[in-house]
């Protein structure tokens, strides 16, 4: 074993905070919500873990296969657990009017269905099948391009110790206007990650509720740092490093 390397590693941990995952457990950093515009909205960073939509059938966008589901609470294919939603519709969130109506059929196909909850409630989403110490990315879509009382709806996505972003169901509050997506990144210290979709409050003519039309989770590439997951000893055992990497 190279003791000099371990001394440097220990110093690096002290200076750089190798144990920050303990302080940041549960924190997702979400970027600002952006308008749904094209299939390139779908991230291809890193490696796909899983992607789901609540529309009919499976569809591929930007090389990512979204597996359709009708589950409104509970666990989807051992990938995602939902709580606090309870309702689902595979086709309701649709419009033939542009710009939504002009999106590619494959993209519209993952956005016309959704899982949603009651007015003024919060939905919990637990992302599963994660590896401790690794970096992940999550994307969430909300969409309702219909005209009428739903056009003013918004929701907030957040996580424990993380930031919050507000998402619009219908950006222009008009028929054919698409909704938004958010992209977040996080480091996990367990095998799961919790986020919340808050549909609380109201607007002229209606109330908010939590809704998800589609989501995907990707594992990002990252550097190695000691996490002690194997035995807690500051050594060069590969499984003591984030991502199963060794500095040996």
């Amino acid at each position: 074993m190279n003791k000099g390397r371990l001394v440097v590693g220990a110093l690096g941990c002290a200076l750089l905070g190798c144990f920050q995952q303990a302080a940041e457990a549960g924190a997702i950093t979400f970027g600002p919500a952006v308008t749904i515009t094209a299939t390139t909205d779908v991230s291809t960073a890193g490696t796909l873990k899983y992607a789901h939509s609540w529309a009919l059938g499976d569809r591929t966008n930007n090389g990512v296969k979204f597996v359709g589901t009708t589950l409104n609470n509970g666990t989807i294919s051992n990938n995602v657990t939902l709580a606090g939603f309870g309702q689902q519709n595979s086709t309701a969130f649709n419009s033939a009017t542009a710009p939504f109506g002009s999106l590619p059929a494959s993209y519209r196909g993952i956005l016309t269905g959704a899982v949603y909850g009651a007015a003024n409630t919060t939905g919990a989403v637990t992302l599963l099948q994660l590896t401790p110490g690794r970096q992940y990315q999550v994307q969430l879509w909300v969409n309702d391009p219909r005209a009428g009382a739903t056009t003013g709806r918004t929701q907030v996505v957040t996580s424990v110790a993380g930031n919050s972003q507000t998402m619009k169901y219908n950006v222009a509050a008009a028929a054919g206007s698409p909704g938004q997506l958010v992209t977040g990144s996080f480091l996990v210290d367990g095998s799961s990650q919790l986020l919340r979709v808050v549909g609380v409050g109201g607007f002229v003519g209606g109330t908010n509720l939590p809704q998800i039309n589609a989501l995907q989770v990707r594992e990002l590439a990252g550097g190695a740092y000691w996490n002690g997951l194997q035995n807690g000893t500051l050594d060069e055992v590969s499984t003591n490093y984030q991502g199963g990497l060794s500095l040996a």
Side-chain angles (χ1 to χ4, degrees), residues 159-197:
S159 67
V160 175
N163 67 334
S164 300
Q165 296 289 354
T166 299
M167 304 177 70
K168 294 181 178 180
Y169 287 45
N170 184 309
V171 172
S177 178
Q180 293 186 311
L181 68 141
V182 292
T183 302
S185 61
F186 58 97
L187 179 72
V188 292
D189 59 0
S191 60
S192 64
Q193 173 69 49
L194 175 67
L195 63 91
R196 297 189 185 279
V197 182

Side-chain angles (χ1 to χ4, degrees), residues 82-117:
L82 303 176
F85 290 92
Q87 301 179 70
Q88 186 272 338
N89 191 299
S90 298
T91 60
F93 308 98
N94 198 6
S95 174
T97 304
F100 182 79
S102 298
L103 292 174
S106 61
Y107 201 18
R108 296 196 313 272
I110 68 168
L111 297 172
T112 57
V115 62
Y116 53 96

